[in-house]
Amino acid sequence: MREQRQLDRIYQLLENYKGELPLQHYLRNYFRQHHEMGANDRRLTSQFIYNWYRLGTALPDLKKEERLAVASFLVMDKESSLFSFLLQSTALNNNADLTAQLSIKLSVVQEAYPQFNLQDVFPFLKLASEKLNITFMTMNILKQPYLWLRVKRNMETPFITCLESNSIQYVKQGVAVGIRNSTDLSKIPGLNPSWYEVQDYSSQLTGNYFKPQKGDHWYDCCAASGGKSLLLHGLEPGISLTVSDNREKILSNLKTRFEKNGIINYKMELVDLGNMIPKTISQNQFDGIIADIPCTGSGTWSRSPEHISFFNEADLLMYTERQKKIISHVSPLLKAGKPLIYITCSVFKAENEEMVDWIIENCDFELESSALIEGADFYADTMFVARLIKK
């Protein structure tokens, strides 16, 4: 039977996956090796594997067919023959209405499986920021986030017109536009890539803390592919930039994005900030530093829910030690009275509020403002941002 063959493949992939690679890369590699799989098979396989991991550590003792069915019931909103096949093995019976609101679905699961505990979906309450709404965070894990785009100045009208003319559903928050994550932007007729940048909504909101001034020289010290630098430059084009990262390939992506956006007034360095900073950077004194610091990424686990199953608390200590090294190395490069913008995509207090306390105590800063930007209300990531001023 076709559905059983699909399930056998899913179970094999789940058994073989050990978390060494991000799940999307693991699946992509598998699909490249199995050209016999059609587009629909690849889509279903990915969907149900992600469903499995979205359940976190909940219902560990159920048979795999039953657990996968419960996870898929909570996550999916459209029927499929594979789900109908799985449903036969559950206690959900005729109550499995995929179109119901998530709160109603949770009640149905709780009634059918009294051992179900919503907090087991994200079982890290003791590590989380006290500001985090853990119920909203947990429910967010069970939802596929939007693909968020930042629409550029004066491009909003043609951008929205293009989406509507192609019947693309969207939500809008200021210049941020969210669409279904499965949308292939390259296949939308008439959509000009120069109109937008891909950037999560919460990430866009961190820009409210930058406050650049014309003529400033800013340092994006963990720049990755340049998302925060592009956001900064969009707020104030009359700045100069120094950017660095420890990954050569990702800096190549940054260079391409900068060229696309016409940014030429910048310097780029390949640097491991866990070690000493080279003179090409250390000889500068900056008017602002963005430290979008390497972290656990726990605020993005609604996009990569496999991390919930493979997270090791020892990794948290490794990240916080690296964060301290980076901040201690870059903070002397900041002029007195100027801002350090500390950013993580984490919900863990050790990487957020406790790290801010450490920076204040050890690096001669005072806190001006901070926020935990919770993404649950708008299908986005959760991020932490703090604006600290050098004494």
Side-chain angles (χ1 to χ4, degrees), residues 61-217:
D61 298 326
L62 286 188
K63 293 181 179 179
K64 56 188 179 184
E65 294 85 357
E66 199 163 5
R67 188 178 188 277
L68 183 58
V70 172
S72 299
F73 166 61
L74 289 173
V75 174
M76 294 169 57
D77 58 7
K78 293 182 180 179
E79 295 283 351
S80 75
S81 60
L82 184 57
F83 175 73
S84 298
F85 181 74
L86 276 170
L87 193 61
Q88 302 172 29
S89 63
T90 74
L92 298 174
N93 298 319
N94 296 323
N95 295 320
D97 179 6
L98 291 178
T99 63
Q101 294 183 349
L102 180 56
S103 58
I104 295 174
K105 289 183 177 182
L106 288 167
S107 298
V108 171
V109 171
Q110 188 70 67
E111 182 177 353
Y113 300 95
Q115 71 272 37
F116 175 74
N117 185 341
L118 181 61
Q119 288 191 0
D120 290 338
V121 173
F122 187 77
F124 306 114
L125 179 59
K126 67 177 183 177
L127 301 177
S129 166
E130 294 176 1
K131 297 179 181 179
L132 183 70
N133 187 318
I134 196 68
T135 300
F136 285 177
M137 172 69 184
T138 300
M139 294 179 71
N140 203 34
I141 296 292
L142 295 169
K143 300 185 294 187
Q144 175 67 45
Y146 290 145
L147 173 63
W148 282 97
L149 311 169
R150 177 170 58 83
V151 184
K152 296 181 183 178
R153 293 178 182 177
N154 304 319
M155 294 295 108
E156 182 177 340
T157 297
F159 183 86
I160 295 299
T161 299
C162 181
L163 293 186
E164 291 179 346
S165 65
N166 287 285
S167 302
I168 304 293
Q169 293 184 337
Y170 66 91
V171 296
K172 191 172 180 298
Q173 298 281 350
V175 298
V177 174
I179 58 179
R180 290 185 72 95
N181 196 64
S182 57
T183 305
D184 187 342
L185 297 173
S186 67
K187 294 184 179 178
I188 300 177
L191 185 63
N192 190 327
S194 68
W195 293 345
Y196 65 88
E197 290 290 336
V198 176
Q199 187 173 32
D200 183 76
Y201 181 50
S202 296
S203 181
Q204 295 183 44
L205 291 179
T206 64
N208 295 334
Y209 294 78
F210 293 177
K211 304 176 185 178
Q213 301 296 315
K214 187 175 182 179
D216 279 354
H217 185 188

Side-chain angles (χ1 to χ4, degrees), residues 340-386:
L340 168 71
I341 313 299
Y342 178 83
I343 302 171
T344 76
C345 51
S346 173
V347 300
F348 294 148
K349 56 189 174 185
E351 298 183 285
N352 296 340
E353 295 89 350
E354 291 178 3
M355 189 58 61
V356 167
D357 291 341
W358 183 90
I359 294 171
I360 292 170
E361 293 172 8
N362 293 275
C363 300
D364 207 24
F365 282 88
E366 59 184 6
L367 177 64
E368 182 176 291
S369 57
S370 66
L372 186 71
I373 304 172
E374 296 191 70
D377 286 342
F378 34 82
Y379 289 73
D381 298 334
T382 294
M383 302 193 71
F384 178 82
V385 57

Side-chain angles (χ1 to χ4, degrees), residues 231-386:
L231 181 61
L232 176 69
H233 191 270
L235 293 170
E236 177 48 73
I239 61 169
S240 59
L241 278 167
T242 294
V243 296
S244 69
D245 202 273
N246 65 346
R247 297 162 291 179
E248 188 171 5
K249 183 176 180 180
I250 208 163
L251 284 177
S252 178
N253 293 338
L254 178 148
K255 184 178 180 181
T256 299
R257 294 181 78 188
F258 275 22
E259 289 174 352
K260 169 189 167 187
N261 285 272
I263 299 176
I264 57 175
N265 191 16
Y266 74 98
K267 296 179 181 179
M268 183 173 68
E269 297 280 353
L270 180 64
V271 176
D272 181 358
L273 292 175
N275 298 316
M276 298 303 293
I277 295 179
K279 288 184 178 180
T280 50
I281 294 179
S282 62
Q283 64 187 4
N284 295 282
Q285 284 287 291
F286 296 101
D287 298 295
I289 295 177
I290 298 175
D292 189 359
I293 212 90
C295 68
T296 57
S298 51
T300 70
W301 287 354
S302 57
R303 299 185 188 277
S304 51
E306 71 274 14
H307 289 293
I308 299 171
S309 298
F310 293 98
F311 175 67
N312 187 326
E313 288 191 30
D315 295 338
L316 182 56
L317 178 61
M318 180 270 291
Y319 276 110
T320 55
E321 289 301 313
R322 179 165 176 76
Q323 290 156 8
K324 290 175 183 177
K325 286 182 180 179
I326 292 173
I327 296 301
S328 64
H329 287 162
V330 302
S331 59
L333 309 181
L334 190 63
K335 295 176 184 177
K338 298 299 184 177
L340 168 71
I341 313 299
Y342 178 83
I343 302 171
T344 76
C345 51
S346 173
V347 300
F348 294 148
K349 56 189 174 185
E351 298 183 285
N352 296 340
E353 295 89 350
E354 291 178 3
M355 189 58 61
V356 167
D357 291 341
W358 183 90
I359 294 171
I360 292 170
E361 293 172 8
N362 293 275
C363 300
D364 207 24
F365 282 88
E366 59 184 6
L367 177 64
E368 182 176 291
S369 57
S370 66
L372 186 71
I373 304 172
E374 296 191 70
D377 286 342
F378 34 82
Y379 289 73
D381 298 334
T382 294
M383 302 193 71
F384 178 82
V385 57

